[in-house]
Amino acid sequence: AQKVTQAQTEISVVEKEDVTLDCVYETRDTTYYLFWYKQPPSGELVFLIRRNSFDEQNEISGRYSWNFQKSTSSFNFTITASQVVDSAVYFCALSEANSGYSTLTFGKGTMLLVSP
Amino acid sequence: DVKVTQSSRYLVKRTGEKVFLECVQDMDHENMFWYRQDPGLGLRLIYFSYDVKMKEKGDIPEGYSVSREKKERFSLILESASTNQTSMYLCASSSETGGLMETQYFGPGTRLLVL
């Protein structure tokens, strides 16, 4: 069975601080995809990034960056110079084959609170 | 842009009532999903559907059923609502084309309170 662990339940930072959200996964599959989603207070999950198991290059998008390390089964997410609008719950997820179809296994989420 | 809509943002029902949660997507996606989200438990998959009239159980199907009569619409049914089904319900859809790599797109969620 696959598993995604987000050990940090809640993180509080002050605006402009850098913050890293951890994600550790377990899978026996050799081909898999990892995702990060953001859930602002409005409730809708917003897709942020997808990474496949063969691409370990780090990715940067503006203030967001992702560090994928297969050796430690981790896919961590860093926000540089955090802003109040970054306050949200962030979910890491792993795709798996389920009855021949693709489903996602989600971590329990990390709530990020950014105060002014 | 992908658009997934859910019929209600907030819903209050009484124990024993039959409850219908509706989800519609406009991207011609083959796959549709229902999750529930509870504090400390993350998102858990209830049911998913990969085609019209087809359905598969997720991790927590007990107490729920689903219906997919049209490709764009996926309904979650609580046959007899109970207080432990008070939760946030999220619908999602994805294309089947890319298999494991396909991104799921989510609706805004329905907060259901069962009294």
Side-chain angles (χ1 to χ4, degrees):
Chain A
Q2 301 195 91
K3 187 176 175 183
V4 177
T5 302
Q6 294 180 256
Q8 304 148 310
T9 305
E10 186 173 321
I11 301 175
S12 293
V13 299
V14 177
E15 216 170 11
K16 297 184 184 175
E17 284 186 34
D18 298 347
V19 58
T20 295
L21 310 181
D22 298 331
C23 174
V24 174
Y25 63 92
E26 296 175 28
T27 180
R28 293 181 180 179
D29 295 341
T30 53
T31 302
Y32 52 89
Y33 286 79
L34 293 158
F35 298 77
W36 275 96
Y37 284 85
K38 174 183 180 180
Q39 186 181 40
S42 59
E44 181 173 341
L45 267 75
V46 177
F47 166 70
L48 294 178
I49 192 171
R50 175 186 64 212
R51 215 74 186 129
N52 76 59
S53 52
F54 299 106
D55 183 0
E56 290 195 64
Q57 276 195 331
N58 290 337
E59 174 128 358
I60 298 174
S61 175
R63 296 184 297 107
Y64 295 172
S65 62
W66 290 269
N67 183 337
F68 175 34
Q69 293 200 342
K70 215 166 174 178
S71 60
T72 56
S73 297
S74 65
F75 185 42
N76 296 337
F77 173 29
T78 297
I79 301 174
T80 303
S82 59
Q83 300 176 1
V84 173
V85 293
D86 296 326
S87 296
V89 181
Y90 291 87
F91 290 96
C92 180
L94 171 67
S95 66
E96 64 177 313
N98 190 332
S99 302
Y101 297 93
S102 174
T103 61
L104 290 178
T105 299
F106 284 85
K108 294 183 179 180
T110 297
M111 178 178 286
L112 174 64
L113 299 172
V114 182
S115 54
Chain B
D1 279 352
V2 177
K3 188 75 174 176
V4 180
T5 57
Q6 296 182 228
S7 51
S8 305
R9 292 300 303 270
Y10 301 93
L11 212 51
V12 181
K13 296 291 180 180
R14 296 204 175 275
T15 301
E17 278 193 76
K18 190 168 186 176
V19 181
F20 292 86
L21 302 182
E22 306 284 342
C23 176
V24 177
Q25 51 94 4
D26 67 357
M27 281 302 293
D28 202 36
H29 283 166
E30 293 83 4
N31 301 331
M32 296 187 76
F33 307 83
W34 275 108
Y35 296 87
R36 65 175 283 175
Q37 181 181 5
D38 300 289
L41 297 179
L43 275 73
R44 294 179 291 167
L45 182 63
I46 304 172
Y47 267 98
F48 66 100
S49 168
Y50 49 89
D51 202 351
V52 175
K53 296 191 186 296
M54 306 305 287
K55 62 184 179 184
E56 289 284 341
K57 292 180 180 179
D59 300 318
I60 51 164
E62 297 78 19
Y64 303 94
S65 63
V66 291
S67 171
R68 192 161 180 207
E69 296 297 318
K70 294 184 178 182
K71 191 175 185 180
E72 68 271 19
R73 187 180 297 269
F74 192 34
S75 302
L76 179 69
I77 303 157
L78 286 65
E79 296 289 343
S80 178
S82 63
T83 55
N84 63 13
Q85 292 179 310
T86 291
S87 186
M88 169 77 139
Y89 290 88
L90 291 158
C91 175
S93 74
S94 71
S95 171
E96 183 52 36
T97 308
L100 290 175
M101 70 176 284
E102 287 297 338
T103 297
Q104 290 187 20
Y105 296 93
F106 284 81
T110 296
R111 292 191 183 274
L112 173 66
L113 172 62
V114 182
L115 299 173

